[in-house]
Amino acid sequence: YVFIIQKGYQESETGPESSVITKVKGVTRSRDKIWDVAEYIKPPEGGSVFSIITRIEVTRSQTLSTCPESMKARNATCHSDSDCAAGKMDMLGNGERTGRCIPYYYGNGTTCEIMAWCPVEDAAAVSEYLGKMTPQFTILIKNNIHFPRFRFSKGNVRDEQDGYLRKCSFNETTDLYCPIFKLGFIVKQAGENFTELAEKGGVLGVIINWNCNLDLPDSECNPRYSFRRLDPKRIQASSGYNYRFAKYYQCNGTSTRTLIKAYGIRIDVIVHGQVGPTLARGREVQPDPHHH
């Protein structure tokens, strides 16, 4: 019953212990400057989740002062000072109201004056595209897995004594153990248009699958890669990917900052795996070659 019905001699293990290390290389340019790895990769540590900035909206020379609230903020428009309660802060706005109703940055409108980082983003942001050379960026994805029950470990990089990684690129047939992918390749494999993705941002999954039969030689246990978009492209409210950060400096003794809204392609490296069937004591017991 145990051996034939339940196949008790066959064990399996899912969900390997896994580590992922990533490294991106490449340079690109926007209208005004050259961007290298230190600037367009967030975060810089090289983990399993990272983003590559492809477009920015820049608001330069913001200082802590007073200015008109953004037209996009709730109840920001006003007709008189009585419409702007002093001290009020809208959590979806940009600052604290001073109690004055003042002319907007452009046009004939008026909004409530606020104490904030001025000018506000919606009034002064300038868009810059970084995606010209981005498809050529290379991404190294090192993955090591371990199945503790079977004391089995393996990595996705070929033993690199001859400098193999410095001159190879991924090919499923000829270079399976060279996990260096061009960003354009990943986007294409996920079925996406690069220009559209770079404009609004998005999240792509690089899925690594290790499904192995440990009755076979180690060389038969190989990684399989697949690529797909993870954010819901057709749902407007939850598609795309962007975030904000600021760079601070002193200008004539005044604390000043450049605000950057960054759109980018976020990469999530996801590792799955299963080993088995194999013999009950793992890889210590070899099967009888005459037993079928």
Side-chain angles (χ1 to χ4, degrees), residues 18 83 88 166 168 189 272:
S18 170
D83 296 328
K88 184 177 180 181
R166 287 196 290 273
C168 69
Q189 292 296 307
H272 297 301

Side-chain angles (χ1 to χ4, degrees), residues 247-285:
K247 296 182 177 181
Y248 295 86
Y249 56 95
Q250 292 287 319
C251 182
N252 297 326
T254 302
S255 180
T256 309
R257 77 177 191 181
T258 297
L259 176 66
I260 298 173
K261 182 178 182 181
Y263 294 81
I265 299 173
R266 193 179 97 169
I267 305 290
D268 289 22
V269 182
I270 303 165
V271 181
H272 297 301
Q274 176 174 339
V275 292
T278 188
L279 297 178
R281 293 178 63 189
R283 311 179 73 249
E284 299 173 323
V285 180

Side-chain angles (χ1 to χ4, degrees), residues 76-84 101 110-112:
T77 57
C78 57
H79 299 288
S80 66
D81 291 353
S82 61
D83 296 328
C84 304
C101 181
T110 53
T111 61
C112 293

